[in-house]
Amino acid sequence: MNQIANPNIETTELEKVVIRFAGDSGDGMQLTGNQFTGTAANDGNDVVTLPDFPSEIRAPAGTISGVSGFQVQFGNQKVNTPGDFPDVLIAMNPAALKNNVKDVTRDGLIIVDMDSFNEKSIAKAKYETDPLSPESLMHKKVIKAPITSQTLKALEGFDKMTKKEKERCKNFFTLGVLYWLYDRKIDYTEHWVNRKFAKKPHLAEANIKVLKEGMIFAQNSGLFQSRYKIPQAPLPAGTYRSLTGNEATGLGLLAAAERAGLKLFLGSYPITPATEILQELAQHKNFGAITLQAEDEIAGICTALGAAYGGAFACTTTSGPGLALKSEAMGLAVITELPLVIVNVQRGGPSTGLPTKTEQADLLQAMYGRNGESPIPILAAKSPADCFYQAFEAGRIALKYMTPVILLTDGYLGNGSEAFRIPDVNELPDLTVKFRTDPENYLPYKRDPKTLAREWVRPGTPGLAHRLGGLEKDALTGCVSHDPDNHNHMVRTRAAKVDGIVNDIPELEIFGDKDGGEVLIVGWGSTYGQIRNKVNKYRKEGKSVSQAHFTHIFPFPKNTLEVFKKFKHVVVAEINLGQLNKLLRSTYIIDTISLTKIQGKPFTENEIEVVVDDLLK
Amino acid sequence: MNIEISKFTKKDFTPDGEVKWCSGCGDFSILAQAQKVLAETGRSPDEFAFISGIGCSSRFPYYVNSYGYHTIHGRALAVATGTKTFNPDLSVWVAMGDGDGLSIGGNHFLHAVRKNVDLVCILMDNRIYGLTKGQFSPTTDKGQVTKTSPYGTLESPVDPVSLTLGIGGSFVARATDRNPKEMQRIFKAAYEHKGFSLVHVLQNCVIFNDDCFNRETGSEKLDNTLQLVQGEPMIFGKENDKAIVRDGFSPKVVNKADVDPSEILVHDENADDPGLALFLSSMNKPELPTPLGIFRKVSQGTYDEDTHLQLKEITAKKGKGDLQTLLNSGDTWKVG
Ligand code: SF4
């Protein structure tokens, strides 16, 4: 590369940076973001990302509703979240600028593709004033780069390419600008491009040329006064890859099946934002994994339950509206005591609600959304990578206790990604299942005295033919029984079985003042990262703020009350109207403060501040 | 299937415990014929699973000594699809009623037929809701007075045979609860058929819809029904004097003596084209006899078998999956 050292440019070290890429759906913003993320991770930074898709698949080009976004936070420590507000915004057109400018931090930087700011596109974005005037830009710093024209110039002589194809390379020009700005090597992207275009070498060459030209442009244009360096983060040693929460969930389920020595069966119906789990698992047929795309949500769970009855490690995946449809079949899984993992990637509700936005408002549905006394253990993943472990854990509990288990993730986790340290498969817990094969004295509802689980029999096993069903069962034979005492016994036994899981799950950990203090911020699921970052900030300021985060919600860890009692104030933060708070208050009869938000978006640190600062006064 | 070599009898398929249908209910005969056929397959009770939803007929699994799963209303086919797909070696039978299978479970019915899941599906059609005590079902005659239609129903019934043929059913048959031998013949054929087998049984509910199939099972039955026999001309009637011919695209009853024998339609249950079967299934009008027997029996790929074929093929191509390799795939990087 013919870079000329520019003595006027200084390099500043930063701890972490948030970049948001915004453009038309067709501008390749997800790809650009992913490339930047991969490079940053490869260079040793911690990374967390979040895409922001428009809910229309192909909204008209250049309009606000067609803007697609991708945000990444990278840093020299655990970053935990994709960041609240971008330090840098890449806006490929006026609509992307309009949609995102308000979020950019006060000292932030906006990079726009000047070439796309023509009259037509400005009108499409419904700007009434000059989009690049200081007022429109809210007095933030802007770099006006002629990205499209420079890209075309860089590709002069690439005769095999049409103008349109050349223009499509402009995201790599942008990437080049950013690689220069953050002092990155291009190896990771170079590799990727060569692999991706192995069969079209001229496209590989073009993209790399444009990438390099972007770097040279940034160096020589005089538009930038400084560059930035973000040192490596002290992450545990190991091999890493980037995974979205949905990919991680799929792999976690597959890992549980493998460690249990069972074949996986997924019965599922496409629904945003859960579909990627089905898509992920549909690829792994060489593991013997069966994915059945069912005719509806009910068939999704019913086919899975039929397979569980047949001896499969069975799962069904969905989002809130689908969970509602699965309720009755979940009850059948409860009464017939078959193992089944139900994944709910929550989204905004009620009804169709906000399909592409995130929310944690299905907790009470998971807890109570069935007829009768129908207890189902509930787990929640706290980060994209944690989805792998919680999916595995859901499998462990389901198989060991012969029970359906609900795993709650959400759109933010499902679509977001982070660095996943690849585990050694042999170090994952052994979940080997023993089926009953001995016909001697078999009683379908006789239980293991410790776990209260009944035995699992594969149909087809000689001498063990028996009948199961949704009518109340006799406590031993499993035959239909309407006896009042038997019903009383069975209802209480099913509850006791689930309650007993408490002895088999990790205790609630305190991050911060282990012996107690002023404020404890309690959360569950995907709010983990935001709360952790805020607690870290308070603690740096010497304030007594701690965190306790639930991954196991039903049953609650057994030391929950003990932990809460150590703190003067317990704040329960969640993306709903206080559902965990209700559960905690009714379970423990304690006073807690509910901190809620319901905008289809995660918390920002400021929003946590509003409540907690007051308590610290 | 060979009757001589079976070491099982009907008793082996009869569990302890009483059968709780109303006395005189048509379900008794259906159960008995199913048990006889099961015994004749030569396979042990452990190799069968009976799956059902909710309704009188859905108690079936409790009355067959085999594996059984009495599930929830309308969902038997979905559950059975999962069981059969996961355990293709198991012989999976589904017992359902007209309300269970075609009303609340209508969607699953469509897709189980379309996927051609290898199941024997016994649809016990009494044209009424029995277990909830006498409300109209999707097969109830238009205008019939029931508890929820005191002034008569307003809706046209669905004909299960036409429906199944219309969505590509590979095995479609109809029997009555009063003809045990024929029912056995059909159950055997359904068991042997690879794919979704619909056995539509006209079943009398003595309590809420008694004699609803009088036409097909009463004293005039020979004049009111057409027994389908593979390769035979369609002749029926007490005196064997009537025949079915084609009148345009419609079936027509004629006196056998009045037509040239070549005009009389000949049954072919194996015809690849469903045209003839659909034509026969349209004979659900008072002026035409109700066809009984096997309408269609053609072999097509089954969902469960194809699922496992695909698993095998892909495993052969990609090699048996290794979890560690999978986790380590994609763009990885090393720390430390
Ligand atoms: S109500 Fe009708 S269908 Fe039900 S058991 Fe009695 S007779 Fe049979």
Side-chain angles (χ1 to χ4, degrees):
Chain A
M1 206 183 317
N2 54 349
Q3 265 192 32
I4 316 157
N6 186 338
N8 300 327
I9 294 174
E10 48 184 279
T11 301
T12 315
E13 211 173 274
L14 295 175
E15 283 185 0
K16 52 189 178 183
V17 175
V18 178
I19 303 182
R20 185 181 296 174
F21 300 84
D24 236 359
S25 295
D27 281 342
M29 291 296 97
Q30 308 300 326
L31 175 80
T32 317
N34 275 318
Q35 282 305 309
F36 189 90
T37 305
T39 295
N42 233 336
D43 285 351
N45 292 145
D46 190 41
V47 292
V48 175
T49 75
L50 184 68
D52 180 20
F53 306 112
S55 47
E56 287 82 11
I57 300 296
R58 279 264 184 267
T63 61
I64 298 272
S65 55
V67 175
S68 153
F70 183 98
Q71 187 162 310
V72 53
Q73 174 159 222
F74 55 107
N76 69 349
Q77 56 206 294
K78 277 295 274 175
V79 294
N80 292 321
T81 74
D84 295 347
F85 303 106
D87 302 305
V88 179
L89 169 69
I90 313 295
M92 298 302 280
N93 64 21
L97 178 66
K98 192 173 185 199
N99 211 17
N100 292 289
V101 64
K102 60 182 182 308
D103 293 344
V104 178
T105 54
R106 215 175 28 188
D107 310 323
L109 177 69
I110 300 168
I111 302 176
V112 298
D113 178 9
M114 261 319 280
D115 298 324
S116 69
F117 280 68
N118 50 42
E119 225 172 276
K120 207 169 128 201
S121 62
I122 291 171
K124 263 196 196 161
K126 302 215 158 67
Y127 265 111
E128 273 149 24
T129 52
D130 175 10
L132 297 173
S133 69
E135 293 73 40
S136 301
L137 290 168
M138 300 172 166
H139 302 280
K140 289 164 192 168
K141 200 174 150 202
V142 68
I143 302 256
K144 301 171 196 170
I147 294 175
T148 308
S149 51
Q150 287 291 325
T151 301
L152 290 175
K153 207 169 133 214
L155 292 178
E156 271 167 17
F158 280 73
D159 297 337
K160 274 201 225 156
M161 293 172 77
T162 63
K163 187 170 174 227
K164 225 178 172 171
E165 280 177 316
K166 287 181 182 177
E167 275 183 6
R168 233 179 264 149
C169 295
K170 70 182 171 197
N171 56 339
F172 270 72
F173 191 89
T174 318
L175 198 58
V177 171
L178 288 171
Y179 281 179
W180 176 84
L181 193 60
Y182 292 100
D183 193 16
R184 298 299 179 187
K185 294 187 285 288
I186 65 164
D187 315 21
Y188 177 88
T189 296
E190 209 169 10
H191 262 111
W192 183 88
V193 167
N194 284 328
R195 243 193 3 244
K196 164 108 183 162
F197 297 115
K199 293 208 176 97
K200 291 176 182 158
H202 70 286
L203 287 185
E205 198 192 327
N207 277 298
I208 290 165
K209 171 99 196 296
V210 170
L211 180 73
K212 288 180 177 169
E213 287 295 329
M215 297 178 84
I216 296 168
F217 171 82
Q219 164 88 9
N220 299 340
S221 64
L223 293 171
F224 298 97
Q225 269 73 55
S226 55
R227 307 173 72 182
Y228 304 95
K229 238 193 163 59
I230 291 86
Q232 294 194 333
L235 297 171
T239 305
Y240 284 75
R241 69 185 282 197
S242 173
L243 276 186
T244 66
N246 280 343
E247 288 166 345
T249 302
L251 292 174
L253 294 173
L254 191 63
E258 287 281 302
R259 294 298 285 163
L262 297 176
K263 293 281 178 253
L264 180 137
F265 183 102
L266 174 66
S268 182
Y269 185 74
I271 184 170
T272 304
T275 316
E276 292 82 10
I277 306 173
L278 170 60
Q279 286 171 191
E280 171 69 31
L281 286 170
Q283 297 176 48
H284 306 311
K285 299 208 186 301
N286 58 332
F287 286 81
I290 296 176
T291 52
L292 187 151
Q293 181 176 317
E295 57 269 27
D296 57 30
E297 293 283 356
I298 296 172
I301 187 169
C302 284
T303 50
L305 197 52
Y309 172 66
F313 173 61
C315 320
T316 185
T317 49
T318 190
S319 186
L323 192 73
L325 286 164
K326 294 182 196 296
S327 305
E328 190 190 11
M330 283 193 262
L332 180 65
V334 168
I335 199 167
T336 52
E337 302 192 38
L338 286 166
L340 177 69
V341 175
I342 301 139
V343 181
N344 176 5
V345 187
Q346 300 165 96
R347 64 191 218 187
S351 186
T352 311
L354 301 171
T356 58
K357 305 290 174 213
T358 201
E359 206 159 280
Q360 298 184 300
D362 296 344
L363 176 56
L364 293 182
Q365 181 184 202
M367 189 75 191
Y368 298 121
R370 290 167 294 285
N371 61 307
E373 295 290 351
S374 184
I376 295 184
I378 302 170
L379 303 179
K382 63 182 184 182
S383 73
D386 190 46
C387 288
F388 177 87
Y389 290 101
Q390 296 309 331
F392 190 91
E393 172 73 350
R396 181 186 75 85
I397 292 175
L399 295 168
K400 183 166 172 186
Y401 293 89
M402 292 290 281
T403 177
V405 174
I406 297 176
L407 169 61
L408 297 174
T409 72
D410 58 34
Y412 168 78
L413 293 179
N415 289 322
S417 80
E418 71 176 331
F420 171 69
R421 192 173 153 269
I422 300 168
D424 179 345
V425 168
N426 296 317
E427 280 165 18
L428 293 172
D430 182 0
L431 307 185
T432 304
V433 164
K434 261 195 84 190
F435 287 94
R436 166 98 186 198
T437 52
D438 179 8
E440 215 50 47
N441 303 322
Y442 173 60
L443 289 166
Y445 273 74
K446 200 166 159 223
R447 293 166 194 281
D448 177 293
K450 220 172 130 220
T451 60
L452 296 183
R454 66 177 198 91
E455 289 172 297
W456 200 4
V457 173
R458 266 200 209 100
T461 309
L464 287 176
H466 64 283
R467 269 70 57 196
L468 292 179
L471 287 164
E472 184 58 285
K473 324 245 68 76
D474 176 83
L476 287 173
T477 61
C479 293
V480 176
S481 166
H482 293 103
D483 180 75
D485 290 338
N486 179 73
H487 180 55
N488 175 56
H489 172 79
M490 288 302 274
V491 169
R492 290 176 196 280
T493 305
R494 286 187 288 262
K497 179 173 86 167
V498 174
D499 288 343
I501 297 170
V502 74
N503 298 313
D504 194 20
I505 57 172
E507 293 203 340
L508 189 62
E509 258 181 61
I510 300 170
F511 170 77
D513 302 318
K514 303 246 183 257
D515 299 323
E518 287 286 311
V519 177
L520 179 73
I521 308 181
V522 170
W524 64 279
S526 70
T527 52
Y528 168 81
Q530 285 82 15
I531 298 174
R532 172 58 56 98
N533 284 351
K534 190 65 208 175
V535 168
N536 271 330
K537 270 199 187 146
Y538 277 123
R539 300 193 66 76
K540 261 195 197 151
E541 294 165 8
K543 294 184 176 144
S544 171
V545 180
S546 306
Q547 178 185 22
H549 204 80
F550 287 98
T551 51
H552 293 70
I553 300 180
F554 185 53
F556 285 129
K558 60 170 175 248
N559 64 332
T560 300
L561 186 58
E562 199 185 305
V563 166
F564 285 12
K565 280 187 166 164
K566 290 181 176 168
F567 293 84
K568 217 161 126 196
H569 307 287
V570 174
V571 175
V572 184
E574 44 191 332
I575 308 295
N576 57 41
L577 292 185
Q579 301 194 2
L580 177 69
N581 190 49
K582 278 198 183 85
L583 287 180
L584 288 169
R585 290 177 74 112
S586 66
T587 309
Y588 297 113
I589 323 189
I590 44 159
D591 205 11
T592 49
I593 299 157
S594 180
L595 167 55
T596 64
K597 172 179 185 180
I598 190 125
Q599 301 178 345
K601 293 196 284 196
F603 281 113
T604 63
E605 292 173 11
N606 300 349
E607 287 159 347
I608 297 174
E609 218 165 77
V610 174
V611 170
V612 176
D613 280 2
D614 254 8
L615 296 172
L616 289 170
K617 270 181 199 152
Chain B
M1 186 158 29
N2 190 328
I3 300 168
E4 274 78 30
I5 63 158
S6 177
K7 49 184 188 293
F8 299 101
T9 65
K10 178 169 173 269
K11 243 184 98 201
D12 292 303
F13 287 87
T14 311
D16 301 335
E18 59 178 321
V19 178
K20 290 183 181 158
W21 288 313
C22 309
S23 76
C25 174
D27 288 346
F28 282 100
S29 165
I30 302 170
L31 174 65
Q33 310 329 315
Q35 286 166 327
K36 272 184 207 150
V37 170
L38 292 169
E40 286 169 16
T41 62
R43 289 172 76 179
S44 99
D46 299 310
E47 296 176 58
F48 293 90
F50 273 75
I51 297 180
S52 67
I54 297 293
C56 290
S57 54
S58 286
R59 296 297 172 93
F60 215 89
Y62 292 123
Y63 306 146
V64 180
N65 184 37
S66 73
Y67 283 92
Y69 198 2
H70 177 221
T71 73
I72 45 179
H73 203 18
R75 316 302 171 202
L77 282 174
V79 174
T81 296
T83 306
K84 180 68 187 181
T85 305
F86 192 73
N87 309 58
D89 294 338
L90 207 60
S91 177
V92 181
W93 295 51
V94 173
M96 56 165 56
D98 39 313
D100 183 57
L102 300 178
S103 192
I104 189 168
N107 195 28
H108 308 306
F109 188 84
L110 156 60
H111 295 281
V113 172
R114 177 180 70 82
K115 286 186 167 132
N116 201 30
V117 187
D118 186 13
L119 302 169
V120 178
C121 175
I122 310 175
L123 176 68
M124 287 161 252
D125 184 2
N126 53 19
R127 299 190 176 166
I128 199 83
Y129 284 104
L131 197 61
T132 51
K133 303 192 168 68
Q135 301 77 24
F136 64 88
S137 90
T139 53
T140 302
D141 283 338
K142 187 169 182 176
Q144 188 172 328
V145 171
T146 72
K147 283 199 185 138
T148 43
S149 56
Y151 305 105
T153 68
L154 300 172
E155 44 195 89
S156 299
V158 61
D159 171 45
V161 168
S162 302
L163 171 70
T164 312
L165 287 167
I167 51 184
S170 61
F171 181 104
V172 185
R174 183 186 284 140
T176 72
D177 57 2
R178 302 280 169 86
N179 189 345
K181 281 272 159 297
E182 173 66 358
M183 209 188 330
Q184 285 175 37
R185 179 183 82 92
I186 290 176
F187 281 160
K188 267 181 225 165
Y191 166 77
E192 281 162 5
H193 176 71
K194 237 162 100 185
F196 188 95
S197 309
L198 174 79
V199 184
H200 178 217
V201 188
L202 309 183
Q203 174 244 324
N204 194 35
C205 169
V206 279
I207 307 294
F208 298 109
N209 210 8
D210 199 15
D211 286 340
C212 131
F213 296 110
N214 208 15
R215 206 176 101 88
E216 289 84 358
T217 57
S219 55
E220 301 302 307
K221 65 181 178 208
L222 292 180
D223 282 335
N224 291 333
T225 58
L226 166 72
Q227 182 60 51
L228 300 171
V229 184
Q230 172 62 9
E232 294 293 323
M234 297 179 193
I235 296 165
F236 70 105
K238 247 185 241 146
E239 314 292 337
N240 254 336
D241 55 347
K242 294 182 201 144
I244 303 292
V245 298
R246 206 165 61 81
D247 179 18
F249 291 108
S250 306
K252 189 173 145 193
V253 176
V254 292
N255 280 324
K256 189 172 86 179
D258 296 347
V259 292
D260 186 278
S262 68
E263 280 183 55
I264 301 173
L265 289 172
V266 174
H267 187 46
D268 182 8
E269 62 195 26
N270 303 126
D272 223 22
D273 188 287
L276 177 66
L278 278 162
F279 176 89
L280 290 167
S281 78
S282 74
M283 293 170 55
N284 49 17
K285 298 166 191 78
E287 65 274 19
L288 293 165
T290 306
L292 298 171
I294 298 171
F295 287 70
R296 186 170 198 234
K297 189 174 88 179
V298 295
S299 83
Q300 287 168 3
T302 71
Y303 181 80
D304 39 290
E305 197 175 61
D306 288 351
T307 296
H308 289 270
L309 277 176
Q310 194 181 47
L311 293 182
K312 261 195 212 125
E313 249 169 53
I314 291 168
T315 307
K317 214 185 301 140
K318 285 177 120 183
K320 196 171 165 317
D322 173 67
L323 184 61
Q324 192 71 59
T325 313
L326 175 65
L327 293 180
N328 281 304
S329 65
D331 297 315
T332 61
W333 65 91
K334 281 218 158 47
V335 170

